[in-house]
């Protein structure tokens, strides 16, 4: 039986609320699919992810973009959680007749990933801030800065397949959905502004995430947004 059959009152008011949230936003259908898929990964919701993925692939999302969402989630959620979602994505794509593997989207080589990643990182958080992160790191912990530059931004965020502004909205959505990452949410409010996204776009992201991630995590991210990009 479906939820509509077993829980008709809940199904009705929840669907009505989802519609209400959509009336408040101008976020494109494409970007809405990207951030909602990312949020369901961060929230650890494979059934919701599968449903949203099917709808997104029927509409604005390409197989490559779907894969890039999952790949990027590893940097922010970890491979232990994301592995299940990668398996779901592959299963859904194969069922749709998509040949795997897809064309590669990497923009780095083992030789230049650190340099390339540091450039992408600088575009997001500011080159001066990246320099300061390296300079202020303890000698026994500077490898984490190299990991961030080479792996997070070089191997992952710097890939083709999704534009950098879209990737930053995705990161913001995943961090908000993850919970307990308030400092990182705040940093990526600034990152979104640095790559050309607006307060309104980030408000739209949080608006479409409310039904998926609930009020505490949404309101925590909203507080970070209000601090980092105050209303005019």
């Amino acid at each position: 039986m479906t939820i509509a059959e077993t829980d008709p009152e809940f199904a009705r008011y929840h669907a009505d609320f989802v519609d209400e949230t959509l009336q408040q936003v101008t976020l494109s259908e494409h970007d809405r699919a990207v951030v909602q898929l990312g949020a369901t990964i961060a929230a650890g919701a494979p059934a919701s992810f599968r449903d949203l993925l099917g709808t997104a692939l029927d509409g604005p999302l390409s197989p490559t973009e779907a894969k890039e969402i999952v790949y990027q989630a590893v940097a922010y959620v970890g491979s232990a959680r994301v592995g299940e979602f990668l398996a779901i994505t592959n299963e859904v794509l194969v069922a749709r007749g998509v040949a795997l593997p897809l064309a590669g989207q990497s923009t780095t080589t083992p030789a230049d990933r650190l340099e390339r990643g540091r450039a992408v990182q600088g575009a997001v958080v500011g080159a001066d801030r990246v320099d300061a992160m390296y300079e202020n790191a303890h000698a026994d912990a500077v490898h984490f800065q190299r990991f961030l530059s080479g792996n997070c931004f070089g191997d992952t965020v710097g890939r083709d397949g999704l534009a950098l502004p879209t990737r930053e909205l995705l990161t913001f959505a995943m961090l908000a959905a993850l919970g307990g990452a308030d400092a990182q949410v705040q940093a990526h409010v600034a990152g979104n502004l640095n790559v050309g996204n607006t307060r309104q776009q980030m408000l739209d992201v949080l608006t479409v995430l409310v039904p998926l991630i609930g009020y505490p995590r949404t309101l925590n991210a909203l507080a970070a947004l209000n601090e980092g990009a105050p209303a005019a």
Side-chain angles (χ1 to χ4, degrees):
M1 298 180 71
T2 66
I3 294 295
E5 294 170 317
T6 59
D7 303 88
E9 288 183 339
F10 166 76
R12 177 190 53 76
Y13 78 70
H14 184 70
D16 287 348
F17 178 56
V18 171
D19 288 341
E20 183 180 356
T21 65
L22 296 181
Q23 293 169 17
Q24 299 295 314
V25 303
T26 58
L27 198 67
S28 70
E29 183 183 2
H30 174 273
D31 287 353
R32 185 169 78 243
V34 169
V35 300
Q36 288 182 325
L37 284 167
T40 55
I41 296 173
S48 293
F49 175 83
R50 184 187 292 272
D51 289 343
L52 286 169
L53 178 61
T55 301
L57 290 170
D58 285 339
L61 209 67
S62 70
T64 294
E65 290 171 320
K67 277 294 191 80
E68 290 303 314
I69 293 166
V70 180
Y71 292 165
Q72 184 164 326
V74 174
Y76 298 98
V77 178
S79 62
R81 173 167 291 183
V82 176
E84 179 179 8
F85 295 88
L86 181 57
I88 291 170
T89 303
N90 289 336
E91 179 186 331
V92 169
L93 291 177
V94 168
R96 288 169 172 257
V98 177
L100 299 179
L102 301 177
Q105 300 296 318
S106 178
T107 62
T108 65
T109 67
D112 68 10
R113 61 192 283 274
L114 184 60
E115 179 183 5
R116 162 70 175 155
R118 192 158 171 169
V120 175
Q121 186 181 11
V124 174
V125 306
D128 290 346
R129 180 172 171 79
V130 176
D131 291 342
M133 290 164 65
Y134 275 86
E135 291 166 4
N136 295 330
H138 294 293
D140 63 350
V142 71
H143 60 282
F144 288 108
Q145 300 305 322
R146 293 195 298 268
F147 291 168
L148 276 170
S149 298
N151 176 248
C152 181
F153 287 94
D155 293 338
T156 307
V157 178
R159 290 170 61 84
D160 288 335
L162 285 173
L164 185 58
T166 304
R167 287 187 180 276
E168 262 304 286
L169 288 177
L170 171 59
T171 297
F172 177 69
M174 290 190 293
L175 291 171
L178 187 61
D182 294 346
Q184 288 75 24
V185 173
Q186 184 122 31
H188 283 277
V189 169
N192 271 276
L193 297 175
N194 288 339
V195 300
N197 293 330
T198 65
R199 169 183 167 87
Q200 186 59 56
Q201 285 173 288
M202 287 182 274
L203 277 175
D204 284 356
V205 169
L206 296 181
T207 301
V208 301
L209 292 190
V210 175
L212 293 174
I213 69 173
Y215 289 98
R217 292 178 184 183
T218 302
L219 294 177
N220 287 344
L222 179 59
L225 176 58
N226 285 336
E227 184 170 342

